[in-house]
């Protein structure tokens, strides 16, 4: 089954063609970073306008790069939420139009399911990458979410923990702004932290030892702000040390909770997903600690960590009838829950 995926939940305009939920024949993304940069964050009205301008071309490019036409497509999968309302409706309207015009089945996909299913895609650099074996625990870390998920089988899962305040990606972006790094902050902070000492400053690791699987990152962000208020020169002279120390606090908590969840549930596989799963320290530390406990650690190929449409088509393949709707039932749902 070959599905066309469409993703416009935030500021990336994306379309992809995916075969059997496994092989991305194309994965096209038009980034809007240059239009939001001067505002230091995503401006919803700009995001939806840019989706309107570029989505048709992005869909055409996804078909062309896959060497396919609409005649080769068996269904259309689209992100219905969660996300920005004005952004979501652009993708949903396009999918609806295509499903009607081409008489194709439509799949209403939750963006977070998409991130999780990114682990089922192969990597051109790693073609024999194994499929995740259920049950497993998946840490979904993005700009809006930090959720720990118990996956019982593909398409059946339960949220066992979540952030009580800021998401991990949000904390990265806010601390990047405190350090004057620009937009988007997460990857810039990741790069800067490589030159810093993660033990230079001891920032708090909230809820690290508590028995729940919930997270909290707003205190950490505030603690970095207080440190920079008291030592303004550190934002210039020791920015890499601040970045590395902040990152160590985030990654320590994310890894500790994920490993604890695996132990508590008795699962032998853990997986990462969402934009922050592109983070170099999180990928390496979770691998190292997980493998030391004899666990299988899955991290999605880098191209499928941050927002993309291949993960949306992949999720549709695995969710099947659970996601299938008639085109007139497709609706943007900005608060779509797990
Ligand atoms: O999943 P995603 O692309 O969009 C949402 O669904 O939110 O995640 C975006 C988030 C942003 O907060 C971004 O700063 C963060 O992921 N991010 C990173 C890295 N790459 C993206 N955070 C830390 N290190 C990275 N390398
Ligand atoms: Zn996302």
């Amino acid at each position: 089954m070959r599905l066309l995926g469409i993703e416009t939940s935030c500021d990336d305009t994306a379309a992809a063609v995916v075969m059997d939920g496994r092989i991305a024949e194309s994965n096209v993304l038009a980034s809007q970073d240059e239009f939001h940069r001067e505002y230091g964050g995503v401006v919803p009205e700009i995001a939806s306008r840019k989706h309107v301008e570029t989505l048709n071309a992005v869909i055409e490019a996804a078909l062309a790069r896959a060497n396919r036409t609409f005649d080769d497509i068996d269904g259309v999968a689209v992100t219905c939420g969660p996300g920005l309302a004005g952004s979501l409706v652009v993708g949903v309207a396009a999918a609806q139009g295509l499903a009607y015009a081409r008489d194709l089945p439509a799949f209403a996909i939750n963006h977070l399911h998409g991130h999780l299913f990114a682990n089922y895609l192969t990597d051109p650099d790693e073609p024999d990458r194994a499929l995740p074996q259920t049950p497993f625990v998946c840490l979904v870390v993005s700009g809006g979410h930090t959720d720990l998920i118990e996956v019982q089988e593909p398409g059946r899962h339960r949220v066992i923990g979540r952030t009580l305040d800021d998401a991990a990606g949000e904390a990265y972006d806010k601390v990047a702004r405190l350090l004057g790094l620009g937009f988007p902050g997460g990857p810039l902070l990741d790069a800067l932290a490589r030159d810093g000492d993660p033990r230079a400053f001891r920032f708090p690791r909230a809820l690290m030892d508590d028995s729940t699987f919930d997270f909290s990152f707003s205190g950490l962000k505030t603690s970095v702000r207080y440190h920079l208020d008291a030592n303004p020169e550190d934002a210039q002279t020791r920015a890499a040390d601040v970045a590395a120390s902040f990152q160590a606090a985030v990654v320590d908590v994310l890894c500790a909770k994920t490993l604890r969840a695996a132990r508590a549930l008795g699962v032998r596989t853990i997986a990462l997903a969402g934009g922050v799963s592109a983070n170099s320290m999180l990928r390496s530390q979770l691998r190292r600690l997980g493998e030391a406990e004899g666990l299988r650690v899955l991290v999605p190929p880098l191209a499928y960590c941050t927002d993309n449409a291949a993960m949306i088509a992949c999720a549709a393949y695995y969710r099947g009838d659970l996601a299938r709707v008639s085109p007139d039932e497709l609706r943007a749902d900005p608060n779509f829950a797990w």
Side-chain angles (χ1 to χ4, degrees):
M1 181 150 90
R2 184 177 285 111
L3 296 177
L4 172 71
I6 297 175
E7 153 67 41
T8 63
S9 66
C10 190
D11 61 332
D12 289 315
T13 315
V17 175
V18 176
M19 187 66 193
D20 288 343
R22 187 81 177 129
I23 298 166
E25 296 182 333
S26 65
N27 187 35
V28 176
L29 188 135
S31 165
Q32 301 181 0
D33 286 353
E34 60 176 307
F35 306 109
H36 300 284
R37 186 165 288 125
E38 68 179 287
Y39 305 99
V42 175
V43 182
E45 177 63 15
I46 294 177
S48 43
R49 285 178 187 230
K50 291 291 164 194
H51 288 313
V52 171
E53 281 171 25
T54 55
L55 181 56
N56 285 352
V58 167
I59 292 172
E60 278 165 20
L63 288 170
R65 274 187 216 172
N67 262 323
R68 304 289 171 195
T69 70
F70 277 117
D71 293 339
D72 304 312
I73 299 296
D74 302 310
V76 183
V78 63
T79 305
C80 290
L84 300 171
S87 288
L88 290 165
V89 294
V90 180
V92 168
Q96 200 164 36
L98 286 173
Y100 272 128
R102 295 271 160 187
D103 197 21
L104 289 169
F107 296 88
I109 301 301
N110 182 309
H111 180 80
L112 300 166
H113 295 174
H115 277 306
L116 192 155
F117 278 106
N119 282 289
Y120 287 72
L121 290 161
T122 54
D123 184 351
D125 298 331
E126 195 190 343
D128 52 353
R129 191 186 150 83
L131 277 174
Q133 296 298 312
T134 51
F136 64 92
V137 164
C138 186
L139 173 70
V140 182
V141 266
S142 71
H145 289 79
T146 303
D147 296 331
L148 260 177
I149 309 296
E150 176 192 13
V151 183
Q152 293 113 352
E153 53 190 69
R156 206 159 66 85
H157 49 246
R158 161 175 93 94
V159 181
I160 58 172
R162 53 167 44 98
T163 181
L164 304 175
D165 40 58
D166 291 354
E170 190 179 356
Y172 265 93
D173 295 336
K174 287 177 175 169
V175 169
R177 207 168 303 151
L178 292 175
L179 290 171
L181 298 186
F183 172 84
L188 295 168
L189 196 149
D190 184 1
L192 178 65
R194 278 173 219 153
D195 301 327
D197 174 5
R199 284 172 301 268
F201 307 107
R202 178 79 192 168
F203 293 125
R205 281 132 173 92
L207 304 181
M208 177 122 145
D209 301 315
D210 109 335
S211 61
T212 72
F213 299 123
D214 291 332
F215 302 91
S216 165
F217 294 108
S218 75
L220 169 59
K221 167 202 66 191
T222 306
S223 168
V224 175
R225 163 136 36 85
Y226 285 165
H227 177 89
L228 292 174
D229 285 349
N231 309 275
E233 67 290 352
D234 279 1
Q236 309 301 327
T237 55
R238 302 195 64 188
D241 286 343
V242 173
S245 301
F246 158 79
Q247 172 159 278
V250 176
V251 171
D252 279 355
V253 179
L254 292 176
C255 290
K257 293 255 170 175
T258 307
L259 293 172
R260 179 126 39 84
R263 276 181 232 123
L265 298 170
V267 305
R268 306 303 303 157
T269 301
I270 54 179
L272 259 184
V276 184
S277 67
N279 183 262
S280 54
M281 185 181 183
L282 178 58
R283 291 167 83 88
S284 63
Q285 188 161 319
L286 194 65
R287 263 207 190 105
R288 181 165 45 76
L289 297 177
E291 286 169 4
E293 294 194 19
L295 301 174
R296 254 189 91 210
V297 182
L298 304 171
V299 294
L302 267 180
Y304 309 131
C305 288
T306 45
D307 290 350
N308 66 90
M311 69 183 195
I312 301 303
C314 176
Y317 175 82
Y318 282 99
R319 289 192 64 79
D321 287 343
L322 288 174
R324 195 172 159 162
V325 295
S326 67
D328 59 298
E329 290 172 311
L330 275 181
R331 290 271 182 290
D333 179 359
N335 300 317
F336 204 164
W338 273 100

